[in-house]
Amino acid sequence: MSRVGVLALQGDVREHMRLLEQLGVDALAVKKPGALDQIDALVIPGGESTTIGKMSVRFGLLDPLRSAIRDGLPTYGTCAGMIFLAGAVTDGDQPLIGALDVVVRRNAFGRQNESFEAPLEISGFETPFHAVFIRAPWIEKVGGEVEVLSSIDDHPVFVRQGHLMATSFHPELTGDGRIHQMLIDSI
Amino acid sequence: MEKGTDRVKRGLAEMLKGGVIMDVVTPDEAKIAEEAGAVAVMALERVPADIRKDGGVARMSDPTMIEGIQAAVSIPVMAKCRIGHFAEAAVLQSLGIDYIDESEVLTPADDEHHVDKWAFTTPFVCGARNLGEALRRIGEGAAMIRTKGEAGTGNVVEAVRHMRTVTNEMRSLTTMGEEQLMSAARDMGAPYDLVKEVAETGKLPVVNFAAGGIATPSDAALMMGLGVDGVFVGSGVFKSSDPEGFARAIVEATTFWNEPEVVAKVSRGLGAAMPGLEIETLSESEQLARRGW
């Protein structure tokens, strides 16, 4: 059986693990570098990207994450996970993995009062995806290798680049497993 | 496109899990908290230890001060309104606060009613000492709960008592027969549908943090071990001898709460924690947790 890790430094780890288990794979909470050798794919959950980034640096996970992802570990980031995977953010200075060739704007839709849920058209999906955006980022700029699978007002909110995927929204909060299934299928 | 839905309100609390929310009174303190790895800050004029010392009526903070903190950090900013003070809550919503804490740390504005939280787009967090109180607040629209503890004391004993009470009451509901649930709802003064839901799932329908008296990394680890989703630290950071050190160590101990060697490592050489208070030395009127019902 495939095993998918969920980076478990902070955030909605439990929801991702539950969804992965419902899809029939083993889910493993990843807090230490050693766990990266035991997984076939990785999810970086929603949470606070500054907290997740700082904790990765302090507990020696940032470089192992970078090399595992560079070596081809299929990885999917939601919201904070999208930010952490990115090459750059428009504002501020925080630790990033830098594997996804995009520039992300944090809290792009606004503060919590602007958080929303809406049906989203996703290229390749037959029916809309009910998406939950919480103080969500969007992608400001994409590199040449990046494929945009969904956008809101021309701002990409779902992108793929080879073995990497990222969404501004949280499929783990609604339980629609189609995007997680894409990750599993890419193992 | 729907805003202010239950899912969106509760969802932000889900994203804060495993993290630490810190009380701050200036933009500089907010930056220290963010730098330490806090997942959010609580903007207020005085930390609970000072509110306790100064006495008088404690109210919502000045909007200028809240806006200064919002401008200083990129993480969510929470702020407190008095229990039942829907006008203060409306002001906080208009300021774009990310979470409103209807808090017993401030002087209650209404001794019978809490705010109707369903009427707001901004989510609310509320304190609770037991399951009935938690479910009443959720019934009024709270999207997150925190066990009250006893704020501003640096003494974790009340936080432990409240969390153990909630856990025991939930466990006891899961063992009851269907026909017992209505009496249980009556006895704890909680909405029946929520009692039924907890009896089925064995857990609260919203995220639950610990608050009130957490002063050291080990206190944070203790509360995580008791099953809370994260911790609020009020006076414990900025009333300690080394705010940067304590802030960072409490964040790290919250993530690695079940690894004592990490908690030991981050605790080493931290210096003096905030001065603590024995709960028994407080008169009933000095016990903030008794505010609200």
Side-chain angles (χ1 to χ4, degrees), chain A residues 65-80:
Chain A
L65 278 169
R66 282 180 176 153
S67 56
I69 290 170
R70 193 176 46 232
D71 294 346
L73 182 69
T75 302
Y76 168 38
T78 61
C79 196

Side-chain angles (χ1 to χ4, degrees), chain A residues 55-94:
Chain A
M55 296 299 278
S56 299
V57 172
R58 287 182 210 161
F59 289 90
L61 260 163
L62 186 58
D63 287 329
L65 278 169
R66 282 180 176 153
S67 56
I69 290 170
R70 193 176 46 232
D71 294 346
L73 182 69
T75 302
Y76 168 38
T78 61
C79 196
M82 169 193 266
I83 298 168
F84 193 34
L85 271 176
V89 288
T90 53
D91 300 287
D93 177 31
Q94 61 186 90

Side-chain angles (χ1 to χ4, degrees), chain B residues 34-250:
Chain B
E34 185 176 48
E35 194 47 46
V39 290
V41 291
M42 177 75 70
L44 74 178
E45 246 154 35
R46 293 173 288 171
V47 295
D50 288 333
I51 291 175
R52 205 172 264 297
K53 205 166 62 193
D54 300 349
V57 173
R59 311 180 180 90
M60 177 187 78
S61 300
D62 185 324
T64 308
M65 172 271 176
I66 293 174
E67 284 165 341
I69 287 172
Q70 286 175 313
V73 294
S74 65
I75 56 180
V77 177
M78 303 184 167
K80 292 181 193 291
C81 74
R82 285 179 262 176
I83 290 175
H85 207 313
F86 53 83
E88 283 187 351
V91 169
L92 294 176
Q93 171 162 285
S94 79
L95 293 176
I97 279 296
D98 294 297
Y99 241 94
I100 299 170
D101 183 2
E102 186 182 17
S103 176
E104 71 281 3
V105 168
L106 305 185
T107 310
D110 188 326
D111 58 6
E112 277 193 58
H113 308 98
H114 286 249
V115 172
D116 168 22
K117 293 165 272 289
W118 298 114
F120 288 78
T121 304
T122 310
F124 280 72
V125 55
C126 288
R129 284 161 298 175
N130 52 53
L131 184 58
E133 195 172 7
L135 297 183
R136 287 193 289 281
R137 297 294 86 78
I138 296 166
E140 293 160 354
M144 178 179 182
I145 291 295
R146 51 176 178 74
T147 45
K148 283 180 174 173
E150 191 54 42
T153 61
N155 188 338
V156 78
V157 67
E158 293 299 302
V160 168
R161 188 196 318 281
H162 297 158
M163 184 56 193
R164 282 209 182 273
T165 304
V166 170
T167 308
N168 288 342
E169 289 172 332
M170 289 196 295
R171 195 173 294 148
S172 132
L173 283 185
T174 62
T175 64
M176 284 183 189
E178 197 81 2
E179 74 287 359
Q180 294 175 282
L181 296 178
M182 187 59 86
S183 324
R186 178 199 59 203
D187 294 345
M188 62 174 73
Y192 173 72
D193 55 336
L194 291 175
V195 168
K196 196 161 174 334
E197 184 179 341
V198 172
E200 279 159 17
T201 63
K203 59 186 194 60
L204 285 176
V206 301
V207 164
N208 176 35
F209 272 44
I214 293 151
T216 67
S218 298
D219 286 349
L222 170 70
M223 296 313 300
M224 293 298 287
L226 288 172
V228 301
D229 295 312
V231 298
F232 282 89
V233 183
S235 321
V237 169
F238 291 99
K239 288 290 166 190
S240 72
S241 58
D242 173 11
E244 283 91 349
F246 268 85
R248 189 177 153 139
I250 291 174

Side-chain angles (χ1 to χ4, degrees), chain A residues 42-121:
Chain A
L42 176 69
V43 171
I44 305 177
E48 265 310 310
S49 62
T50 53
T51 303
I52 295 172
K54 286 170 203 296
M55 296 299 278
S56 299
V57 172
R58 287 182 210 161
F59 289 90
L61 260 163
L62 186 58
D63 287 329
L65 278 169
R66 282 180 176 153
S67 56
I69 290 170
R70 193 176 46 232
D71 294 346
L73 182 69
T75 302
Y76 168 38
T78 61
C79 196
M82 169 193 266
I83 298 168
F84 193 34
L85 271 176
V89 288
T90 53
D91 300 287
D93 177 31
Q94 61 186 90
L96 301 172
I97 291 174
L100 190 62
D101 188 12
V102 298
V103 178
V104 175
R105 180 175 296 279
R106 291 180 58 204
N107 306 331
F109 292 92
R111 295 184 182 279
Q112 173 63 11
N113 288 342
E114 307 304 319
S115 293
F116 63 97
E117 48 185 306
L120 196 65
E121 298 293 335

Side-chain angles (χ1 to χ4, degrees), chain A residues 33-48:
Chain A
L36 292 172
D37 303 331
Q38 302 164 40
I39 56 175
D40 307 302
L42 176 69
V43 171
I44 305 177
E48 265 310 310

Side-chain angles (χ1 to χ4, degrees), chain B residues 20-48:
Chain B
V20 181
I21 300 167
M22 296 183 196
D23 280 1
V24 297
V25 300
T26 63
D28 283 341
E29 287 188 0
K31 283 185 195 149
I32 290 173
E34 185 176 48
E35 194 47 46
V39 290
V41 291
M42 177 75 70
L44 74 178
E45 246 154 35
R46 293 173 288 171
V47 295

